[in-house]
């Protein structure tokens, strides 16, 4: 078992012998003293700690921004890490130059993180529009300059046609495969490469922490509320990184990230794509996985309501075999699920859109970007000659688990989806749920919003309201 985490740091091969559960932010600021990367919130929200993580993809190395405060050192083994110090070669990176020329920085605390996010954008998109620029900045908080000069700097870079990240070429990764296990100072980080190896580990080490992207688990790590003595990382399990397609279904390996899900569903389910764009930030979506969102079993997770309304099935796997179930049956009670101690969530599949199907999902939160849902509502109906043939409605934030509104669905089926049916459906929703009051919203507010969203759905599918993608 290796004691060294091996990776590229700003283009140079690097080895670190530290506990693999040390955060990348703590390591950067202490060992190599790369203090350009800042700590703000230490919970994935503000972007001050943003770094770029690169992995070989075909014949190029693809980079995405990540929050180093909630990223463990074990997670960068075999990868390329670029900090704000590594962007500059003999000359400033175009984003750095544009930010400086444009007066886009005042106190400068947020600036390295913003430069990293925009450099990630410039590497992946040669001509980003304003939507893409705003998306890239949604996870970076600037408290004093304000965003106008920052967006203008980003537009200037976009006008210049993007910019690559200087770092190792694909060939340089040849001897840097993620190691099977790393152990230092009492923390062990397993990185199985196949589902069979993962399931064996899961059986042998039922108490080890299963780690997807770590965007949920990493928050407690950043706050020093926990140590990870034994981790099984899912990031390199081949079968869980695959997006598959059959004639009627799309399937997502549990370790597929939300950015990857977003790219795949944008054509089939634009409303789902709009929801995913509001999921955390680019950094969070590039790290967080679809399996992790289900694994948290949070009553306010955004993925489950949309997936349940779409009719998703989840695949659970262990050495004893696989079992499949409707996603709504996976959730049993508050943070309790069907998952057994020797099982993992292996994949999630959703049916492809059917003729006559209308699907919309709405996230109601205090802020548009980077916020937690107060209520998340998803509606899917199929109609023939105006009559509703099938309906699935699911809510997050309305009960201890993400839940279907079965009676409200029954009310819609067979109806012409007219004003009367909308009122009856809304009444069935009000009768079916007893949500909690918390600082995000009172029980009455949640009930009112949930009922009102039926009308919103009706107006949207009747073509009365603004385009979903433009929201
Ligand atoms: C700043 C910030 C913003 C966020 N915004 C949103 C948001 O808008 N909407 C939202 O829904 N969530 C949001 N989240 C929560 C989180 O990002 C998501 O739930 C994400 O999908 C979790 O995935 P992960 O891979 O990072 O999970 P991890 O943190 O790795 O794991 C979460 C849990 O799932 C378990 N798990 C992971 N993978 C599996 C598997 N394959 N099988 C079994 N168990 C598994 C883990 O053991 C753990 O218990 C946000 C988090 C942060 C920090
Ligand atoms: S310090 Fe705020 S996102 Fe990491
Ligand atoms: S320049 Fe001060 S927080 Fe952005």
């Amino acid at each position: 078992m290796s004691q060294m985490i091996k990776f590229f740091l700003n283009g140079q091969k690097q080895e670190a012998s530290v506990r693999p559960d040390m955060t990348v932010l703590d390591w950067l600021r202490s060992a190599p003293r790369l203090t350009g990367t800042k700590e703000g919130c230490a919970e994935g929200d503000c972007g001050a700690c943003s770094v770029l993580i690169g992995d070989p993809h075909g014949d190029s190395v693809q980079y995405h921004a990540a929050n180093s405060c909630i990223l463990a050192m074990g997670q960068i083994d075999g990868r390329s890490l670029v900090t704000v110090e590594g962007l500059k070669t003999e000359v400033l990176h175009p984003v750095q130059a544009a930010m400086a020329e444009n007066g886009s920085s005042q106190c400068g605390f947020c600036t390295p993180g913003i430069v990293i996010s925009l450099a990630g954008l410039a590497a992946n998109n040669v001509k980003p529009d304003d939507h893409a620029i705003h998306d890239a900045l949604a996870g970076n908080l600037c408290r004093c300059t304000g965003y106008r000069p920052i967006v203008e700097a980003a537009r200037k870079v976009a006008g210049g046609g993007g910019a690559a990240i200087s770092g190792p070429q694909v060939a340089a990764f040849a001897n840097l495969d993620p190691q099977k296990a790393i152990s230092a100072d009492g923390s062990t980080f397993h990185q199985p490469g196949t589902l069979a190896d993962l399931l064996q580990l899961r059986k042998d080490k039922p108490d080890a922490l299963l780690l997807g992207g770590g965007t949920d688990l990493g928050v407690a790590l950043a706050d020093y509320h926990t140590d990870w003595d034994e981790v099984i990382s899912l990031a390199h399990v081949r079968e869980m990184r695959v997006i598959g397609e059959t004639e009627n279904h799309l399937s997502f390996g549990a370790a597929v990230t939300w950015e990857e899900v977003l790219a795949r569903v944008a054509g089939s389910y634009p409303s789902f794509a709009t929801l995913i764009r509001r999921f955390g930030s680019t950094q969070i979506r590039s790290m967080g996985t679809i399996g992790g969102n289900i694994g948290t079993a949070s009553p306010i997770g955004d993925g489950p309501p949309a997936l349940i309304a779409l009719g998703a099935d989840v695949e659970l796997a262990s050495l004893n075999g696989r079992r499949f179930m409707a996603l709504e049956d996976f959730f049993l009670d508050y943070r309790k699920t069907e998952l057994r101690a020797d099982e993992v969530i292996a994949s999630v599949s959703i049916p492809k859109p059917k003729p006559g199907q209308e699907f919309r999902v709405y996230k109601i939160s205090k802020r548009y970007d980077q916020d937690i849902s107060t209520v998340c509502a998803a509606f899917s109906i199929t109609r023939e000659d105006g009559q509703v043939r099938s309906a699935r409605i699911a809510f997050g934030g309305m009960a201890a688990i993400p839940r279907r509104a079965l009676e409200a669905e029954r009310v819609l089926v067979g109806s012409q989806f007219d004003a009367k049916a909308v009122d009856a459906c809304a009444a069935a929703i009000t009768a079916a749920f007893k949500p909690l009051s918390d600082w995000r919203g009172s029980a009455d507010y949640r009930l009112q919003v949930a009922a009102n969203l039926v009308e919103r759905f009706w107006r949207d599918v009747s073509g009365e309201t603004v385009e979903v993608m433009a929201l």
Side-chain angles (χ1 to χ4, degrees):
M1 195 175 300
S2 170
Q3 290 190 336
M4 293 288 181
I5 299 157
K6 300 179 184 176
F7 56 103
F8 289 101
L9 173 63
N10 293 335
Q12 303 300 314
K13 271 197 177 157
Q14 178 83 39
E15 295 189 343
S17 177
V18 292
R19 276 180 66 102
D21 65 345
M22 181 178 199
T23 68
V24 172
L25 176 64
D26 279 351
W27 180 77
L28 281 172
R29 293 184 60 84
S30 55
R33 294 205 58 75
L34 291 174
T35 51
T37 307
K38 307 293 182 203
E39 175 167 324
C41 64
E43 52 183 31
D45 270 314
C46 76
C49 65
S50 299
V51 293
L52 290 168
I53 303 291
D55 295 296
H57 253 268
D59 54 7
S60 66
V61 180
Q62 273 182 14
Y63 284 91
H64 65 77
N67 300 117
S68 65
C69 64
I70 54 171
L71 187 67
M73 285 297 285
Q75 290 178 274
I76 61 165
D77 180 61
R79 308 175 82 182
S80 171
L81 169 66
V82 175
T83 67
V84 70
E85 292 87 350
L87 285 180
K88 181 175 168 293
T89 51
E90 286 92 60
V91 289
L92 290 178
H93 183 280
V95 172
Q96 292 171 316
M99 291 277 290
E101 284 158 17
N102 223 55
S104 307
S105 172
Q106 231 175 121
C107 77
F109 193 80
C110 70
T111 309
I114 283 179
V115 165
I116 284 284
S117 288
L118 292 180
L121 176 67
N124 291 316
N125 188 341
V126 288
K127 208 146 186 52
D129 58 13
D130 274 3
H131 276 299
I133 292 172
H134 292 151
D135 269 354
L137 290 171
N140 290 86
L141 188 66
C142 178
R143 301 292 295 266
C144 60
T145 300
Y147 287 86
R148 189 184 48 75
I150 296 170
V151 170
E152 279 170 6
R155 286 186 189 137
K156 199 181 266 183
V157 178
I165 304 294
S166 75
Q169 302 297 307
V170 171
F173 285 81
N175 298 321
L176 202 75
D177 281 342
Q179 304 169 85
K180 277 202 149 185
I182 306 158
S183 192
D185 290 341
S187 171
T188 303
F189 202 85
H190 301 274
Q191 306 197 92
T194 64
L195 188 61
D197 286 353
L198 165 67
L199 297 180
Q200 189 62 54
L201 274 168
R202 183 80 167 132
K203 176 160 187 284
D204 296 345
K205 301 175 186 304
D207 294 331
L209 191 75
L210 267 191
L211 181 70
T215 56
D216 243 62
L217 293 171
V219 174
L221 194 66
D223 286 342
Y224 308 109
H225 285 160
T226 183
D227 291 327
W228 295 346
D229 289 341
E230 187 134 49
V231 173
I232 304 173
S233 165
L234 307 176
H236 304 290
V237 179
R238 214 179 310 126
E239 296 89 333
M240 289 168 83
R241 291 280 308 128
V242 172
I243 298 181
E245 180 171 358
T246 61
E247 196 187 337
N248 298 319
H249 285 83
L250 293 176
S251 72
F252 301 91
V256 168
T257 67
W258 280 111
E259 274 290 290
E260 293 162 339
V261 177
L262 168 58
R264 187 61 191 83
V265 301
S268 342
Y269 292 113
S271 176
F272 191 19
T274 302
L275 173 81
I276 300 172
R277 244 184 231 107
R278 296 181 57 196
F279 191 114
S281 58
T282 310
Q283 291 92 321
I284 294 293
R285 292 192 298 273
S286 304
M287 301 162 72
T289 64
I290 187 168
N293 196 233
I294 294 168
T296 60
S298 163
I300 45 166
D302 287 324
L307 291 166
I308 290 171
L310 286 172
D313 277 338
V314 63
E315 177 194 359
L316 307 182
S318 73
L319 283 183
N320 293 323
R322 294 162 185 234
R323 48 193 190 121
F324 295 83
M325 65 186 66
L327 181 56
E328 60 265 36
D329 296 335
F330 176 75
F331 302 107
L332 299 177
D333 203 342
Y334 181 69
R335 305 270 186 188
K336 285 207 181 102
T337 69
E338 273 282 347
L339 196 74
R340 297 182 191 139
D342 62 344
E343 279 181 324
V344 299
I345 301 164
S347 70
V348 187
S349 68
I350 53 172
K352 288 182 178 170
K354 297 180 191 69
Q357 183 178 2
E358 298 281 4
F359 172 78
R360 297 289 190 282
V361 53
Y362 306 105
K363 171 169 174 166
I364 306 299
S365 55
K366 286 181 195 281
R367 281 182 314 201
Y368 186 79
D369 282 316
Q370 185 71 304
D371 202 359
I372 293 169
S373 286
T374 307
V375 173
C376 183
F379 300 87
S380 177
I381 56 170
T382 48
R383 283 187 290 184
E384 246 179 70
D385 302 327
Q387 193 183 54
V388 178
R389 295 291 169 154
S390 66
R392 292 179 69 91
I393 303 174
F395 287 96
M398 294 287 287
I401 53 174
R403 244 188 63 192
R404 266 176 89 178
L406 292 169
E407 186 52 33
E409 292 173 2
R410 272 193 280 276
V411 165
L412 286 190
V413 174
S415 79
Q416 291 295 316
F417 200 33
D418 49 16
K420 205 169 136 216
V422 167
D423 285 347
C425 180
I429 288 168
T430 312
F433 290 93
K434 287 197 172 44
L436 286 177
S437 292
D438 62 17
W439 58 268
R440 269 182 222 109
S442 66
D444 285 350
Y445 171 78
R446 286 188 155 101
L447 280 174
Q448 186 72 62
V449 162
N452 288 353
L453 284 172
V454 185
E455 183 173 339
R456 168 78 188 273
F457 174 55
W458 177 51
R459 291 186 183 278
D460 273 352
V461 301
S462 317
E464 267 188 51
T465 39
V466 279
E467 259 224 2
V468 199
M469 289 296 285
L471 281 176

